[in-house]
Amino acid sequence: MLTLQTPATSKPVPSFRLGLTGGIGSGKSTVAQRLAERGAAVIDADQISRSLTAAGGAALPAIAQQFGADLIQADGALNRARMRELVFAQADARQKLEAIVHPLIAEQTQARVRQAISEGCRLIVHDIPLLVESGHWCSQLDAVLVVDCRESTQIERVMARSGLSREAVQAIIAAQASREQRQAAADWLLYNDEAMSLEALHAYTDQIAAWFGL
């Protein structure tokens, strides 16, 4: 089911910036992929973050200086497992890491936005898993699309695809914004629960793309 509230503008504007978010297992990535297939420029915040901490990534020198060179693996990439342990063990480690990574993500995001605008792209989709949690995106977006489903559906989907335990998935969900918080932030709400087929999800996503002439 697709619910359309009144977006920030009643008609598509050149290079409309749409925030896309949803809890783990909601189907957000499937929606992003479909929008990309229809011609949207999809900017994936997680993908940018991963590239910054891959071998040769721009964030690595500052991370090594802040946390120690032992956080960098032999292949030159960030040791993600050790960083996760550090973030859990030290209360301020997450803030220090975000202070390094977030400005670089913003810099690369803006570069990709400028490129999409120069290419005349009608729809720029910002794929941001923690859009609601971040609190600073609203001023940069024209509207927000939330992909939503019940928590029980999230758990079953993530367990099936990742092999994580129910408790592990529940912990991830608990660390994210609640469904109610995401729904409150939504201009458009796409309800993608277990009864929704992939074909139906694509059809609803195509309705959104069509609104932009894609």
Side-chain angles (χ1 to χ4, degrees):
M1 179 177 65
L2 176 62
T3 301
L4 301 181
Q5 302 179 39
T6 303
T9 180
S10 59
K11 294 183 179 180
V13 297
S15 298
F16 191 100
R17 296 179 67 172
L18 178 67
L20 172 63
T21 194
I24 186 172
S26 65
K28 174 186 63 63
S29 296
T30 301
V31 171
Q33 181 179 349
R34 184 67 172 183
L35 289 171
E37 291 170 357
R38 291 295 302 269
V42 176
I43 302 174
D44 185 334
D46 272 359
Q47 185 276 324
I48 294 175
S49 178
R50 289 192 296 271
S51 72
L52 291 171
T53 55
L60 293 175
I63 289 175
Q65 182 177 11
Q66 176 69 60
F67 298 103
D70 59 334
L71 264 294
I72 311 301
Q73 299 177 151
D75 64 0
L78 176 67
N79 187 322
R80 299 180 189 279
R82 292 200 61 186
M83 179 56 75
R84 280 194 296 270
E85 293 174 359
L86 189 63
V87 165
F88 280 114
Q90 297 184 14
D92 63 343
R94 180 183 297 276
Q95 288 75 21
K96 291 178 179 178
L97 178 63
E98 290 176 347
I100 294 169
V101 174
H102 283 184
L104 295 172
I105 293 175
E107 180 181 323
Q108 292 204 16
T109 295
Q110 290 308 314
R112 296 187 188 190
V113 167
R114 289 192 295 270
Q115 179 180 352
I117 292 173
S118 70
E119 294 172 352
C121 184
R122 294 186 178 187
L123 177 60
I124 302 172
V125 177
H126 293 270
D127 183 346
I128 310 168
L130 302 181
L131 185 153
V132 175
E133 293 87 337
S134 69
H136 71 273
W137 275 100
C138 291
S139 63
Q140 303 179 50
L141 302 171
D142 296 306
V144 173
L145 168 62
V146 172
V147 185
D148 181 48
C149 67
R150 293 176 299 165
E151 182 175 317
S152 59
T153 302
Q154 291 179 264
I155 293 170
E156 295 303 324
R157 284 174 177 166
V158 178
M159 287 175 61
R161 79 186 185 198
S162 67
L164 291 173
S165 68
R166 181 175 299 274
E167 293 72 20
V169 180
Q170 288 173 326
I172 294 172
I173 292 173
Q176 296 182 338
S178 67
R179 287 183 66 194
E180 292 74 19
Q181 287 172 317
R182 283 192 294 269
Q183 290 168 1
D187 294 293
W188 297 336
L189 185 65
L190 205 171
Y191 187 64
N192 177 39
D193 215 90
E194 59 184 3
M196 178 82 75
S197 67
L198 179 60
E199 292 74 16
L201 181 61
H202 281 171
Y204 284 122
T205 306
D206 289 349
Q207 288 184 34
I208 296 170
W211 195 75
F212 297 94
L214 300 179

